[in-house]
Amino acid sequence: MSAQPVNPNLPPDHVTVFIDGVEMAAPKGSMIIQAADKAGIPIPRFCYHDKLAIAANCRMCLVEVEKMPKPAPACATPVMDGMKVVTRSDKALKSQRNVMEFLLINHPLDCPICDQGGECELQDLSLGYGRSVSRFVERKRVVPDEDLGPLVATEMTRCIQCTRCVRFTAEIAGTYELGGMSRGENLQIGTYDGKPLTTELSGNVIDVCPVGALTNKVFRFRARPWELVARESLGYHDALGSNLFLHARRGEVLRAVPRDNETVNECWLSDRDRYSHQGLGADDRAVQPLIREGDDFRAASWDEALARAAQILRDNAADDLGMLVHPSTSNEEGALLARMAEGLGTGNLDHRIGQRDLSGDAVAAPFAMPVADIANAGTIVIVGSNLRHEVPLLHHRVRQAWRKGARVHVVNPVDFDFTFDVASKAIVAPSRIAAALGGTDLAAAVGEGERMVVIVGALAEAGAHAGAIRSAAERFASAHGAALCRIPQGANALGLSRHGVLPASRDAQAMLRDTRSAYVLYGIEPGLDFADQALALKALKGAQVVAFSQFACASTRAVADVILPIGALPEIEATLTNLEGIDQRAVPAGRLPGEARAGWRVLRALGGELGLDGFEFIDIAPLGASMQPRHVAVQSGQAPQVDGGLELAVAPAIYRSDAMVRRAPALQAHPLTLGPRIVVHPADAGALGVGDGAMARVSNHAGTATLQVTVSDQVAAGTVFVESGYGATAALTAGNVQVVPA
């Protein structure tokens, strides 16, 4: 290695290295293994992961470097100009094989029964670097397993102490739940306190584990990897649209794994997207068309059910019809619903079923800053959001920015737990969020930060004061030159807005207040998905209802006259539009249950039965080609009346956010599923005479519930915090509440 650059034409921040005789340019400070990976030269490794800090503790990546007397770990040796590296010399191969022999000394020989068999990095590398016989004759050590909760299974005797899982929980999840205990041959990886993993990203430790020590508890022993077929799909429980593969065997979806996309979810996946497929097999899946007869339902043929649905829509067309659509509905289905509404002459069409205040600019808009760029923001202001639960991997991007030095400011009614430090916070009642955004305290704390982004979440967008908060957020972002990023309220809220699933006349709240004689419900669980459950159920029970549904649940049966079974996203071909405005495609992985059909097929058949234009296609390709953005002049909705009493702050419970997640047993057993409760400030609890853990009667104009009380100073004074998605709290989301001891 000379003092002069080997290649003077390279940029000043690059050097020339030679790996196995191949000359290449590599950034200064990068490691040998990174340069080799870029050139496609394989170097074995276990502890190295390109998203985690370098540990250099497995030593499997030892290579020979010119003028170095001993083999060097490729993951921890920085490149230098003129460096010559050999990855498969006798010295390198002997070192790698010795390391493999040491790794296998205590590893159990249980490959035939190991649930990681077939996709185990240790198994793969041992084939190339292991001996045919072991020279180790002493007893192997045994490590007791830990119960890490309902999602991750453990066989810690297999652990090779690569510490990938430890670094993941510390660096990516930010929860520091796993660590190494004891030393030397007694080193064990665990939680120390024996408690389950509580991070919302815990399933990623399965992906980073190179052996069978941490595996998918839901998928375990259900299939071998070579039996599975991988299909590209998307996460549809938040607006990020995480890319993933669904693995299926004979049409049954058995697991989900992340699909790399650096601009969306990198190589990670939230637990909600990873395990929600369990809901596909729920007992109340809608598997055949049903028609009401008296107080019960009977099975019907598709022809009969479509004829009955068409008759209801003909008899109640134009302004007598309201059409309510779940915000995770695909673009194809949304476009057909908009065509159907136009053909039937109704402007009462809306997907914003979970939002109370539709005044002002209540239509979803794409982020003003790409998600990947948020990781490089300098100042971030979070408004009205439990971001960690609402969009877990967007929260991860904010944590990335914080680790690079960004300052995070929060305006919220609850002091939620984030995995980053907060530079300033205003914990105020929902009615005061708009004033806090316009106040001098926040402006002084934020200053003139560079690369500023304002993120507005569900507590603001879906609450009773959403209109005022949206306006205040726009003014704040404009005054500070910040990118305004309002999180769409639904996995495809942005796509549905683009394709015209918006009201030309009555919005979702208006068509429920001013009841229609008939409704179309699309993908909705009526008992839990509406912002005002009492108002919705009252309107629906007094009307004729055609329900397109994945589930024939009790609340759907209570209101529907016809139930048409449709497929969920893992079972159909569809596109969703994520929060950046990017269309992403999913292909079917699981087979449709029973007589269920893809929603676009059912809509096509119903449109044909009604004789409407735009339903002449027979395949999804011509449907996609015919879809165009549809502009709807949406009038500002009516702001809701606010009752007296304690203000209500409502956020969706992380694992109760939609019908599919609510039916995933593993997620319902997770520690983050806390159950229905109210959280009250200590001062308010004292004034009301309720204590922590006591039961209280909580009521408003919509209903009454008896709930357990949690007293916490994390909630703003004068405010009650409730998580939605539970039957017990459904009625309470409609307005401010009165609380008395039970």
Side-chain angles (χ1 to χ4, degrees), residues 164-182:
R164 281 186 183 179
C165 59
V166 175
R167 285 173 284 149
F168 172 82
T169 59
E171 299 163 19
I172 306 300
T175 53
Y176 301 90
E177 293 180 89
L178 293 173
M181 296 169 285
S182 300

Side-chain angles (χ1 to χ4, degrees), residues 470-547:
R470 279 190 289 265
S471 297
E474 289 172 5
R475 291 192 298 270
F476 180 88
S478 177
H480 290 81
L484 180 59
C485 299
R486 292 170 43 216
I487 299 173
Q489 295 307 294
N492 197 38
L494 188 53
L496 294 174
S497 298
R498 284 184 177 176
H499 290 285
V501 187
L502 288 168
S505 52
R506 290 177 176 82
D507 60 40
Q509 293 296 315
M511 69 178 88
L512 293 173
R513 282 195 307 267
D514 185 8
T515 56
R516 307 291 87 200
S517 59
Y519 292 91
V520 169
L521 298 184
Y522 200 92
I524 294 172
E525 186 171 10
L528 293 172
D529 286 339
F530 287 103
D532 190 334
Q533 294 297 147
L535 180 68
L537 292 176
K538 180 180 178 182
L540 295 172
K541 286 179 179 178
Q544 291 183 289
V545 175
V546 176

Side-chain angles (χ1 to χ4, degrees), residues 63-131:
V63 295
E64 184 177 2
V65 180
E66 185 183 51
K67 298 183 180 178
M68 284 191 180
K70 296 180 179 180
C75 69
T77 305
V79 296
M80 298 179 65
D81 198 43
M83 175 183 278
K84 294 182 179 179
V85 180
V86 183
T87 68
R88 298 192 63 80
S89 66
D90 288 342
K91 181 187 288 187
L93 288 173
K94 183 178 180 181
S95 299
Q96 292 163 359
R97 286 169 179 156
N98 288 341
V99 169
M100 176 59 72
E101 184 174 14
F102 281 121
L103 286 173
L104 293 177
I105 277 177
N106 276 312
H107 197 78
L109 301 178
D110 61 349
C111 293
I113 62 166
C114 177
D115 44 309
Q116 193 76 359
E119 52 187 4
C120 172
E121 295 176 45
L122 181 62
Q123 190 180 54
D124 293 341
L125 289 178
S126 66
L127 187 65
Y129 298 90
R131 291 175 175 269

Side-chain angles (χ1 to χ4, degrees), residues 112-454:
I113 62 166
C114 177
D115 44 309
Q116 193 76 359
E119 52 187 4
C120 172
E121 295 176 45
L122 181 62
Q123 190 180 54
D124 293 341
L125 289 178
S126 66
L127 187 65
Y129 298 90
R131 291 175 175 269
S132 59
V133 293
S134 174
R135 296 185 291 178
F136 185 74
V137 296
E138 290 78 11
R139 290 186 65 178
K140 292 175 180 281
R141 76 169 190 165
V142 176
V143 180
D145 294 329
E146 260 194 81
D147 184 0
L148 297 185
L151 307 183
V152 181
T154 60
E155 288 283 351
M156 299 312 294
T157 300
R158 300 172 184 159
C159 179
I160 59 171
Q161 291 89 44
C162 71
T163 70
R164 281 186 183 179
C165 59
V166 175
R167 285 173 284 149
F168 172 82
T169 59
E171 299 163 19
I172 306 300
T175 53
Y176 301 90
E177 293 180 89
L178 293 173
M181 296 169 285
S182 300
R183 302 179 67 184
E185 67 173 6
N186 295 319
L187 176 63
Q188 298 179 19
I189 303 298
T191 62
Y192 184 73
D193 58 7
K195 293 181 180 178
L197 296 178
T198 59
T199 171
E200 64 285 355
L201 305 175
S202 65
N204 292 288
V205 301
I206 299 164
D207 300 326
V208 301
C209 182
V211 296
L214 301 174
T215 54
N216 187 324
K217 187 174 281 190
V218 171
F219 170 72
R220 198 179 191 203
F221 301 130
R222 297 199 62 193
R224 288 296 194 179
W226 52 84
E227 299 178 273
L228 304 175
V229 176
R231 292 286 184 264
E232 294 183 355
S233 193
L234 303 168
Y236 57 105
H237 309 296
D238 59 49
L240 182 64
S242 295
N243 289 202
L244 54 87
F245 286 109
L246 291 174
H247 288 173
R249 181 183 61 185
R250 295 191 289 276
E252 181 184 6
V253 177
L254 295 179
R255 70 173 174 183
V257 297
R259 176 161 51 100
D260 289 3
N261 188 329
E262 286 297 313
T263 62
V264 181
N265 57 304
E266 299 178 90
C267 60
W268 312 121
L269 201 60
S270 70
D271 291 343
R272 185 166 56 191
D273 288 332
R274 186 183 296 267
Y275 294 99
S276 64
H277 66 84
Q278 279 192 297
L280 294 171
D283 292 339
D284 60 353
R285 276 303 301 265
V287 296
Q288 58 186 348
L290 300 173
I291 293 178
R292 179 179 293 280
E293 280 194 352
D295 294 332
D296 206 352
F297 285 84
R298 66 171 176 84
S301 67
W302 270 107
D303 288 343
E304 184 184 7
L306 288 170
R308 176 70 179 126
Q311 187 63 49
I312 291 173
L313 299 185
R314 286 194 197 97
D315 294 345
N316 300 275
D319 195 43
D320 290 335
L321 178 65
M323 300 179 69
L324 297 159
V325 183
H326 195 278
S328 66
T329 301
S330 72
N331 289 325
E332 290 76 13
E333 295 162 292
L336 290 178
L337 286 161
R339 290 181 194 178
M340 185 171 288
E342 183 179 36
L344 292 169
T346 181
N348 306 326
L349 170 68
D350 206 350
H351 70 275
R352 301 168 300 170
I353 60 172
Q355 297 173 243
R356 286 190 63 206
D357 183 1
L358 297 175
S359 64
D361 184 14
V363 178
F367 271 26
M369 177 183 286
V371 169
D373 290 351
I374 291 176
N376 298 312
T379 304
I380 300 172
V381 182
I382 298 173
V383 180
S385 177
N386 184 3
L387 190 60
R388 185 174 167 188
H389 289 187
E390 189 174 350
V391 190
L393 289 174
L394 179 58
H395 172 271
H396 161 60
R397 295 286 190 175
V398 176
R399 175 173 166 80
Q400 285 180 315
W402 168 75
R403 294 186 71 198
K404 296 175 183 176
R407 291 170 58 83
V408 184
H409 307 268
V410 173
V411 182
N412 251 341
V414 182
D415 188 6
F416 293 112
D417 293 326
F418 299 118
T419 61
F420 42 77
D421 294 335
V422 175
S424 74
K425 55 189 172 186
I427 307 303
V428 297
S431 62
R432 296 179 53 206
I433 291 178
L437 282 170
T440 57
D441 290 347
L442 181 60
V446 169
E448 299 299 325
E450 296 183 355
R451 306 185 310 281
M452 187 184 300
V453 57
V454 178

